[in-house]
Amino acid sequence: MSSRNRPPFAAFLAAGLACALAGCYDKDDYAPTEANVNQIVVLESVSGATSLPADGFSRLPVQARLLGDPAFARRTVIFSVDNGTLDGGQAPSDCPACREVVADSTGRARVDVIAGTRVGTAIVSARLKEATGIRVDLALQLVAPAAGDVVRFVAAPATVPADGATLTTFTVEVAGSVPQAQRTVRFAATAGSFSSGGTTPIDVPVDAGNRASADFKSPATIGTARITATVAGVTRETAVSFARALPGAIVVTANPPVLMAAANAQTTITATLLRDVGQVTDGAVVTFSARDASGTALGLFTNVTRSASGSASAVFLPQTTTPGRVTITVGVEGSRVTGSVDIELTP
């Protein structure tokens, strides 16, 4: 080349400096270096969120963005996490818990982080398979899961009758994010039962509407209980009270129904306490009263007894020598329901 065709030295030097500053390379054999890792790959949450409930199933998409020129399109990113699992890509042979993902045409590789169950920090890592030493980390916070975000009661009566038979439906709603394999709710109670086995829990599959229901059988004693619903290891509970079951009807009989109007006359009054479902709670206070045809109270009740089978009895002494009709009325404290029977006093 003649001297007249050679570029001036200053121009050659300037070109060399520009190449050095701009980072000239041969695209065919370019390899990133660890010193420039932040200019090579960025690991980030796709949504921007950096926390997850530590429930074992919540997901957070993360992506590795490969930067620079050339953009590292179609290069392979290997993801790992130390508190949880990953979903997406393929597991490399030397790391079954890792995931290999080939970056797309924009230089992005994406994977889902599935939360672990240990509260604390989860470190997600991404490294380039083709470049040893190029690795970036992303710290995620795993927080204690709020039970209401996973399962919540949508039908939970606060009070039920203590009649030993009433069935009350408890219904929960389950988060749609709970995996199909874990979509079974275990109902349990500290008193009463969800099954014929006493306090044995019962498992109910979640339906297509994300709900599960179970019928609870009331105990026969007054008190309280905790009702729990557990799904995917998360438990929600509610309280229920067992109120005294009162009669819906009272049937009263007298034996004998006719007796002499004498000082020593007496008859046995029996009251049967009835309910449409179950029985009246044991211990109900039964009241007896007697009035003549004019509405005047008379007589005396003795030997008042109350059986656990739902009946009560008393011996009635009219204590009058006046013939006529006497109405015996039986009631239960706390209830407006009464029953009555007429007896006849003869001369």
Side-chain angles (χ1 to χ4, degrees):
M1 178 184 296
S2 66
S3 59
R4 72 177 68 175
N5 294 326
R6 293 178 182 171
F9 177 75
F12 179 82
L13 181 59
L17 290 174
C19 182
L21 292 174
C24 292
Y25 43 75
D26 183 341
K27 292 186 177 183
D28 293 333
D29 62 7
Y30 176 82
T33 60
E34 186 176 2
N36 299 316
V37 64
N38 294 329
Q39 302 172 27
I40 297 167
V41 58
V42 172
L43 182 59
E44 60 192 2
S45 163
V46 174
S47 65
T50 57
S51 67
L52 278 172
D55 54 18
F57 60 82
S58 289
R59 292 171 174 255
L60 182 69
V62 299
Q63 68 179 9
R65 285 192 297 115
L66 306 178
L67 310 175
D69 184 14
F72 306 121
R74 310 304 179 188
R75 296 210 179 194
T76 301
V77 179
I78 300 178
F79 293 92
S80 61
V81 64
D82 66 353
N83 185 6
T85 57
L86 299 171
D87 186 25
Q90 301 293 327
S93 58
D94 60 343
C95 182
C98 301
R99 287 295 181 271
E100 282 187 358
V101 181
V102 178
D104 62 20
S105 59
T106 65
R108 286 175 168 81
R110 181 178 294 190
V111 72
D112 281 357
V113 177
I114 302 174
T117 56
R118 186 178 74 250
V119 174
T121 303
I123 302 298
V124 184
S125 300
R127 59 186 175 88
L128 298 184
K129 184 176 183 179
E130 297 87 350
T132 304
I134 300 301
R135 166 178 166 163
V136 287
D137 294 334
L138 173 65
L140 302 178
Q141 295 303 313
L142 300 189
V143 299
D149 294 338
V150 178
V151 57
R152 64 187 183 92
F153 282 94
V154 293
T159 304
V160 298
D163 59 8
T166 291
L167 295 178
T168 306
T169 301
F170 284 80
T171 301
V172 296
E173 187 171 73
V174 176
S177 58
V178 175
Q180 186 62 41
Q182 296 177 274
R183 295 178 72 78
T184 299
V185 179
R186 169 159 289 192
F187 290 93
T190 56
S193 66
F194 278 107
S195 65
S196 59
T199 55
T200 302
I202 185 172
D203 295 330
V204 180
V206 179
D207 63 21
N210 293 325
R211 293 191 173 191
S213 299
D215 288 336
F216 173 75
K217 184 179 179 181
S218 295
T221 55
I222 297 172
T224 60
R226 290 184 298 109
I227 307 296
T228 60
T230 302
V231 61
V234 178
T235 299
R236 191 75 183 267
E237 74 173 46
T238 187
V240 61
S241 297
F242 309 123
R244 182 176 297 283
L246 299 171
I250 301 175
V251 177
V252 185
T253 59
N255 185 25
V258 179
L259 59 157
M260 293 180 59
N264 61 348
Q266 64 181 37
T267 183
T268 300
I269 307 299
T270 301
T272 303
L273 312 180
L274 303 175
R275 284 179 55 82
D276 291 338
V277 177
Q279 64 185 35
V280 175
T281 307
D282 190 27
V285 177
V286 181
T287 60
F288 294 83
S289 63
R291 294 183 182 275
D292 62 18
S294 67
T296 302
L298 78 164
L300 173 69
F301 291 92
T302 63
N303 298 330
V304 178
T305 61
R306 166 79 168 89
S307 72
S309 61
S311 65
S313 64
V315 174
F316 174 61
L317 294 79
Q319 293 186 320
T320 181
T321 58
T322 303
R325 186 184 77 249
V326 176
T327 299
I328 308 295
T329 301
V330 180
V332 173
E333 284 190 3
S335 172
R336 295 181 179 182
V337 175
T338 61
S340 63
V341 65
D342 290 339
I343 64 173
E344 196 69 30
L345 300 181
T346 61

